[in-house]
Amino acid sequence: MIDFKALANEYKTPLYVYDFDYMTTQYEALKEAFRGRKLIIAYAVKANSNLSVVKHFAKMGSGADCVSIGEVRRAFLAGIPSYKIIFSGVGKTDDEIREAIEKDILYINVESEAELGRVELIAKELGKVSRISIRVNPNIDPQTHPYISTGLHDNKFGVDLSTAKRMYIKANASEHLDPVGIHFHIGSQLTELKPIYESAEIVADLVRSLAGIKIELKFFDIGGGLGIKYDNETTIKPYDYAQAILGCMKGLDLTILCEPGRFLTANSGYFLSKVLYEKQNGEKRFVVVDGAMNDLLRPALYKAYHKIEAITENQGEKRAVDIVGPVCESGDFFAKDYELPELAHNDLVVVHSAGAYGFGMGSNYNTRGRSAEVALENGKARMIRKRESFDDLIALEKEFLES
Ligand code: LLP
């Protein structure tokens, strides 16, 4: 049991709390599922990019899946070795590509023919060879929220099979490109195995057909996407996931690379807010808390469900309530019509499953400093990010007041 009250008293609210031991359990479970196979787990830094979180994974031997050069730099700072870092994303700038090549990361995950051309040109300018992988878009419906679905041709991600093949042939012929991997990622919060299996089959067939023309790849990158329980979802078991992937890879001797984010961190995290007021607008009951959509955007952006726990002395009758923050937007809510007892000033509201895509999607909207972050490890709490102050928020603007 986590003593949320003590944490809120010590570190104040709003506050993110992450159970590092839970992250370890998840990491080990995934590793165990693929036991005996060549595997790199490349933690998807975007899910929770706090340096101490990334360092925690680095210590367990994890690599990093990055989507900007900023994330690549975080991975290096946190101690992830260059040979376990990959860089994906549909819109890498020339500067980002240059730095990735100079840093000699495992590979750049290329998402278009035009990008392949840029990577080749920049590698040539640097007099280097860039290892690459190509993100294949298998045109499979992942059956998840449309905003986090990425494996259909309607989505901006990756390239279709015939384009991918053409790109591999081009890369293989280039003095400055070394095609080492193949990648797919069809979406996030996946709770069905079938679309993953179907995608892996398609991609494995392409690997075989490339081998037939002497293009031998080394990495089979299955992306991230494993769903978690926010509520009562049935989720994919790591063992079944591994078996499905291995089933598609029969006869192929490639290192598996996977890029989990949410699976490793989401249920390690809690977002703590204090109750400011209860209010009633006609029939509608609201609890206003000190955390807001700028801290945790998922409910506002995706109408995402997060379990809410109220920490209060009041054990009275529960009634439906909207839990809302102070930001001036009607979308600023954590839950709607949630059953909670009457809450008093300074009671705590804990939002569960907040360890992935929580803090990282935060902003300073309404000139609100972002929350502090705290790690729990072996029963001890420690701060891993300070609360942002007003001075932090204006630091990059202040000097221009005089002009
Ligand atoms: N690899 C690639 C190429 C990705 O685009 C993503 C996530 C991952 C790995 C990690 O996926 P995960 O294992 O965490 O599902 N903000 C949204 C999620 C966006 C996911 C973006 N890509 C949310 O709050 O649900």
Side-chain angles (χ1 to χ4, degrees):
M1 278 293 280
I2 301 174
D3 189 347
F4 291 120
K5 232 171 160 175
L7 290 166
N9 282 340
E10 180 166 359
Y11 298 101
K12 310 295 174 240
T13 55
L15 181 72
Y16 272 98
V17 175
Y18 310 120
D19 179 351
F20 276 27
D21 299 327
Y22 179 87
M23 294 182 196
T24 307
T25 307
Q26 293 294 93
Y27 182 88
E28 293 298 335
L30 197 57
K31 198 169 123 188
E32 176 64 22
F34 284 97
R35 191 160 61 149
R37 308 297 299 218
K38 289 180 286 181
L39 171 77
I40 297 178
I41 297 178
Y43 168 57
V45 173
K46 65 173 85 68
N48 186 327
S49 52
N50 183 291
L51 283 173
S52 299
V53 171
V54 184
K55 184 176 167 195
H56 184 67
F57 287 113
K59 284 197 290 194
M60 290 189 275
S62 179
D65 165 46
C66 304
V67 77
S68 69
I69 208 68
E71 287 190 356
V72 172
R73 290 182 189 178
R74 275 184 187 269
F76 270 96
L77 260 180
I80 297 197
S82 56
Y83 59 85
K84 287 189 187 170
I85 296 177
I86 61 168
F87 182 18
S88 314
V90 286
K92 304 177 197 78
T93 66
D94 288 359
D95 285 345
E96 289 185 307
I97 294 169
R98 193 170 299 112
E99 190 170 328
I101 297 174
E102 279 169 344
K103 284 194 153 76
D104 200 25
I105 63 169
L106 181 58
Y107 54 77
I108 296 177
N109 210 350
V110 175
E111 301 220 18
S112 62
E113 275 187 293
E115 189 189 16
L116 190 71
R118 293 308 303 171
V119 175
E120 183 182 30
L121 197 79
I122 294 167
K124 188 173 172 192
E125 278 166 16
L126 295 171
K128 296 206 168 178
V129 178
S130 177
R131 281 180 299 276
I132 59 131
S133 143
I134 292 171
R135 177 165 182 176
V136 176
N137 182 325
N139 201 25
I140 294 280
D141 182 355
Q143 298 159 23
T144 186
H145 190 291
Y147 281 17
I148 50 178
S149 158
T150 49
L152 283 167
H153 287 168
D154 278 1
N155 306 125
K156 66 181 173 179
F157 300 97
V159 296
D160 60 54
L161 286 171
S162 57
T163 307
K165 193 157 183 183
R166 209 166 48 238
M167 287 166 68
Y168 277 112
I169 292 169
K170 180 179 171 192
N172 199 45
S174 164
E175 279 175 39
H176 296 282
L177 297 172
D178 182 10
V180 294
I182 193 157
H183 172 252
F184 68 95
H185 169 85
I186 56 171
S188 199
Q189 183 55 12
L190 307 178
T191 52
E192 297 289 333
L193 197 49
K194 195 162 161 262
I196 303 178
Y197 180 83
E198 287 173 359
S199 306
E201 287 261 86
I202 292 172
V203 174
D205 281 347
L206 180 55
V207 173
R208 289 187 192 96
S209 118
L210 290 170
I213 52 169
K214 296 272 164 302
I215 302 179
E216 306 277 356
L217 302 179
K218 299 189 183 77
F219 298 96
F220 192 77
D221 182 343
I222 59 177
L226 268 187
I228 59 118
K229 275 189 202 300
Y230 284 95
D231 193 6
N232 296 315
E233 298 91 335
T234 32
T235 51
I236 302 166
K237 292 189 181 60
Y239 178 82
D240 296 340
Y241 179 57
Q243 288 304 308
I245 299 290
L246 295 172
C248 298
M249 288 178 70
K250 285 211 178 78
L252 297 176
D253 180 31
L254 278 76
T255 297
I256 297 166
L257 198 138
C258 64
E259 311 168 347
R262 190 188 317 262
F263 176 81
L264 297 178
T265 61
N267 276 332
S268 77
Y270 303 88
F271 178 65
L272 278 53
S273 298
K274 262 190 180 157
V275 172
L276 298 174
Y277 316 105
E278 280 252 6
K279 69 181 281 185
Q280 191 85 23
N281 280 351
E283 289 297 293
K284 188 86 196 164
R285 176 187 167 211
F286 295 95
V287 167
V288 187
V289 296
D290 63 359
M293 65 188 283
N294 76 294
D295 300 297
L296 179 66
L297 187 62
R298 301 193 74 256
L301 190 59
Y302 314 116
K303 296 201 174 71
Y305 171 88
H306 284 258
K307 185 180 147 192
I308 307 272
E309 182 184 354
I311 299 186
T312 173
E313 300 283 293
N314 184 5
Q315 299 304 321
E317 183 207 353
K318 292 183 175 172
R319 283 191 301 122
V321 62
D322 286 9
I323 298 137
V324 301
V327 163
C328 53
E329 302 270 347
S330 293
D332 182 24
F333 64 89
F334 293 128
K336 293 205 161 189
D337 290 324
Y338 210 91
E339 295 284 325
L340 292 180
E342 182 132 351
L343 299 179
H345 191 73
N346 285 344
D347 277 349
L348 273 184
V349 166
V350 181
V351 182
H352 285 234
S353 312
Y357 308 109
F359 183 93
M361 287 171 70
S363 75
N364 294 123
Y365 188 41
N366 282 198
T367 304
R368 290 172 52 88
R370 280 175 296 177
S371 346
E373 296 180 288
V374 164
L376 293 178
E377 200 172 5
N378 297 323
K380 285 211 182 85
R382 67 172 197 278
M383 185 174 274
I384 55 172
R385 194 180 207 269
K386 289 184 199 163
R387 183 174 303 287
E388 284 175 350
S389 67
F390 177 67
D391 284 346
D392 292 331
L393 298 191
I394 60 164
L396 303 178
E397 302 162 32
K398 217 167 53 182
E399 65 187 285
F400 303 109
L401 273 181
E402 307 309 321
S403 57

